Amino acid sequence: MEKILEVNDLHVSFDTFAGEVKAVRGVNFHLNKGETLAIVGESGSGKSVTSKAVMGLIPNPPGRIKQGEIKFGDRNLAQLPEKEMQKIRGSEISMIFQDPMTSLNPTMTIGKQIMEGLIKHQNMNKSEAKERAIELLKLVGIPNAEGRVTEYPHQFSGGMRQRVVIAIALACNPRVLIADEPTTALDVTIQAQILELLNDLQEKMGTSIIFITHDLGVVANIADRVAVMYAGKIVETGTVDEIFYNPQHPYTWGLLGSMPSLDSTDEELIAIPGSPPDLLDPPKGDAFAPRNPYAMQIDTEMEPPLFKVSDTHYAATWLLHEKAPKVEPPAAIKKRMQGMAPDEPIIGAKDGGKHV
């Protein structure tokens, strides 16, 4: 498949009074044309920093890209001056942020906010831009778009505001769309509608999507491939089926185990013990070792490479070394993985002994 974006050995740091925070530490991934790549992990794992580095939105100071390249076509975005990035940002690569209310200007009408990018990047006049803004509002499912184009953000519900933000991001037909936890602030019903909308828009427009989230349940519904991040590094990557049904890294086991299960009788979710490491002073070896019940001595001494599981599946854990003891996921996690089999119904009802 054609690679539309490629990130190689990306390091991003922030200079603070306490010292240098190494937020992203050697991240590598690529995005294929027309696919959705989900980047998942706990808060502080480096997901959003990575996406903002791609957009050229790392504030300097205090942040900086220490090394690495972000290849977009024949350009390295990590080295482009701000004026050149402004031409790309919004037109070729767009971003949907987590909270639509902080993304929208409360003093401007929805229509004007959509029109801004069209006038700047597409060289449209005001009349053409307004007509296109109405088309975009219809595309993202805003009813009575002709009337609502003159309304302000506070006149829209949370779900409708997120649809408006998506319309702004898609206004210039970008080749890459970065969605940074776009459904976190929404209730589950609206969340499902937004995910369905993104899927529909991708089919219609062929946009490649990087979807940032901490929710593996969301990933299952939208992603083609998944990259699992921990402590500023990608620790496992594979297709969505490989990550859900054949995970190899103990951290991925923990993420899957912490998901609520519809058929579980357990009163408590399985939690990952401990806390993420302090990236002011990253630990030697495998950063997950202090929280890993299967950690070996080598985990505290040497950082594991990405071991190949298949042509599309890699995991950075010494458990995949040929001399490592054979360890399987805990029984409770295996049960949850088996319970997520794609052919089984997720909702069931019984009446009079008959299963519906």
Side-chain angles (χ1 to χ4, degrees):
M1 297 182 70
E2 179 187 347
K3 293 180 183 178
I4 193 168
L5 181 74
E6 193 171 359
V7 174
N8 297 314
D9 195 29
L10 180 66
H11 292 252
V12 181
S13 290
F14 292 86
D15 295 315
T16 70
F17 290 114
E20 179 187 350
V21 177
K22 298 168 184 174
V24 174
R25 305 183 299 135
V27 161
N28 297 275
F29 68 86
H30 68 274
L31 178 68
N32 293 322
K33 187 175 181 180
E35 79 164 351
T36 298
L37 170 69
I39 302 179
V40 302
E42 293 171 283
S43 295
S45 61
K47 309 182 303 295
S48 293
V49 173
T50 299
S51 66
K52 288 176 181 176
V54 172
M55 288 289 291
L57 293 176
I58 300 295
N60 186 3
R64 54 200 164 91
I65 296 177
K66 287 186 67 177
Q67 70 182 67
E69 62 176 1
I70 304 167
K71 292 177 66 177
F72 182 60
D74 58 355
R75 293 163 290 187
N76 180 6
L77 303 186
Q79 295 180 347
L80 281 187
E82 176 59 21
K83 283 190 177 181
E84 290 299 314
M85 276 303 302
Q86 288 176 3
K87 296 176 184 177
I88 294 172
R89 195 185 300 130
S91 60
E92 296 187 66
I93 305 177
S94 286
M95 194 164 188
I96 305 169
F97 293 96
Q98 182 172 337
D99 184 358
M101 203 55 190
T102 58
S103 303
L104 297 170
N105 187 332
T107 67
M108 289 176 64
T109 65
I110 293 299
K112 283 188 176 179
Q113 294 187 60
I114 300 174
M115 291 163 59
E116 271 188 326
L118 294 168
I119 292 170
K120 180 174 182 179
H121 295 296
Q122 302 290 304
N123 298 318
M124 292 185 180
N125 59 41
K126 288 186 178 180
S127 176
E128 292 171 333
K130 184 175 181 180
E131 185 177 334
R132 177 59 178 157
I134 292 170
E135 289 176 5
L136 285 163
L137 289 178
K138 289 178 179 178
L139 183 67
V140 297
I142 302 288
N144 185 25
E146 291 85 352
R148 306 213 71 179
V149 74
T150 58
E151 293 182 353
Y152 291 85
H154 72 271
Q155 295 173 279
F156 289 72
S157 67
M160 287 297 174
R161 283 196 291 264
Q162 194 61 287
R163 289 173 184 265
V164 170
V165 171
I166 293 171
I168 293 171
L170 294 173
C172 299
N173 299 316
R175 295 164 63 194
V176 175
L177 179 65
I178 300 174
D180 188 2
E181 306 215 33
T183 60
T184 298
L186 306 174
D187 64 61
V188 290
T189 304
I190 304 303
Q191 183 181 94
Q193 293 175 9
I194 296 298
L195 293 176
E196 184 178 358
L197 172 63
L198 287 173
N199 272 327
D200 290 343
L201 291 173
Q202 185 179 40
E203 288 182 12
K204 291 176 183 176
M205 304 178 72
T207 306
S208 302
I209 298 176
I210 297 175
F211 197 95
I212 311 291
T213 184
H214 63 271
D215 187 347
L216 276 171
V218 169
V219 168
N221 293 323
I222 196 169
D224 298 303
R225 289 189 301 117
V226 181
V228 180
M229 282 195 75
Y230 183 77
K233 290 180 174 286
I234 290 177
V235 297
E236 186 164 6
T237 181
T239 66
V240 68
D241 284 348
E242 287 169 336
I243 296 299
F244 273 86
Y245 307 125
N246 187 32
Q248 298 294 316
H249 199 286
Y251 179 60
T252 311
W253 298 348
L255 291 179
L256 290 169
S258 65
M259 288 174 58
S261 175
L262 291 171
D263 61 353
S264 175
T265 58
D266 298 334
E267 293 184 1
E268 295 184 2
L269 294 176
I270 301 170
I272 302 174
S275 302
D278 183 356
L279 294 183
L280 276 167
D281 184 23
K284 185 181 178 182
D286 186 349
F288 188 61
R291 308 174 71 187
N292 182 5
Y294 310 101
M296 300 174 286
Q297 184 176 346
I298 192 173
D299 285 300
T300 62
E301 299 171 354
M302 292 180 63
E303 184 180 315
L306 279 168
F307 288 94
K308 181 177 179 179
V309 182
S310 73
D311 288 342
T312 54
H313 190 184
Y314 295 82
T317 171
W318 287 114
L319 292 175
L320 290 176
H321 192 277
E322 58 183 7
K323 295 183 179 179
K326 300 303 176 186
V327 174
E328 291 191 353
I333 294 174
K334 285 185 74 173
K335 181 181 177 183
R336 287 174 184 266
M337 288 158 50
Q338 292 163 357
M340 292 185 291
D343 295 330
E344 293 182 5
I346 62 170
I347 298 177
K350 290 184 179 179
D351 182 17
K354 294 181 179 179
H355 186 78
V356 181

